Amino acid sequence: MASGTSPFSGAPPEFLQARRPGIYEDENGRTWVAVVIRLGPSQRALSSVSPSIAWESSITVHLWQMPVHPQEPMPPSQLSLSRLPFMWLLYSRKKYKAADTRFWEIASHGQVDSIEELVLTRLPWESGLTPESGS
């Protein structure tokens, strides 16, 4: 966890659904804002794409639970340009499954000052595809 972050005693949200770009709502109506998004090359090449080296980008997102001004949700078609999924569903204690079937690992779930923070990292396509590896 980042410095200044302490563990959070509660469970992570059951689901997060996009309302606007970078703004998600959980099952309790709480809003989560993507405050940091890190993009970078992964540590390995995708061998299934082609014989040549093609790098899969890695994504880590820091979500903070905080209130935002109410706005009408955008339709999914307008949210599709984001590199973040339209929805995350809690798959296990350590992973979310996104609407695009990709898995995201819960890197940390903690408290920064008085703000609840959830840090998710997208896993490579080949990772976590079986329920046995999800716990």
Side-chain angles (χ1 to χ4, degrees):
M1 277 187 255
S3 63
T5 304
S6 60
F8 190 76
S9 59
E14 290 290 320
F15 73 84
L16 295 164
Q17 183 169 0
R19 293 297 177 211
R20 305 205 54 81
I23 300 174
Y24 290 81
E25 187 174 301
D26 68 16
E27 68 277 8
N28 296 313
R30 300 182 311 158
T31 50
W32 294 77
V33 179
V35 293
V36 177
I37 300 171
R38 289 189 208 148
L39 303 174
S42 74
Q43 299 300 316
R44 61 179 187 70
L46 289 175
S47 59
S48 61
V49 174
S50 71
S52 64
I53 295 176
W55 294 97
E56 177 180 27
S57 64
S58 66
I59 301 174
T60 298
V61 60
H62 294 244
L63 297 158
W64 285 8
Q65 193 282 303
M66 57 177 48
V68 295
H69 295 292
Q71 296 178 340
E72 288 296 315
M74 293 178 81
S77 61
Q78 290 183 354
L79 294 168
S80 63
L81 298 177
S82 173
R83 296 197 66 140
L84 298 178
F86 173 73
M87 180 184 285
W88 280 294
L89 295 170
L90 192 61
Y91 182 78
S92 71
R93 292 176 309 183
K94 299 177 185 177
K95 291 181 187 173
Y96 279 93
K97 188 173 185 180
D100 65 358
T101 72
R102 295 288 299 257
F103 286 93
W104 292 67
E105 180 179 43
I106 299 173
S108 72
H109 181 217
Q111 192 110 5
V112 178
D113 295 323
S114 62
I115 296 173
E116 184 179 352
E117 178 184 55
L118 181 62
V119 180
L120 303 176
T121 300
R122 187 176 72 183
L123 296 173
W125 275 109
E126 292 81 12
S127 295
L129 296 179
T130 63
E132 301 82 53
S133 61
S135 51

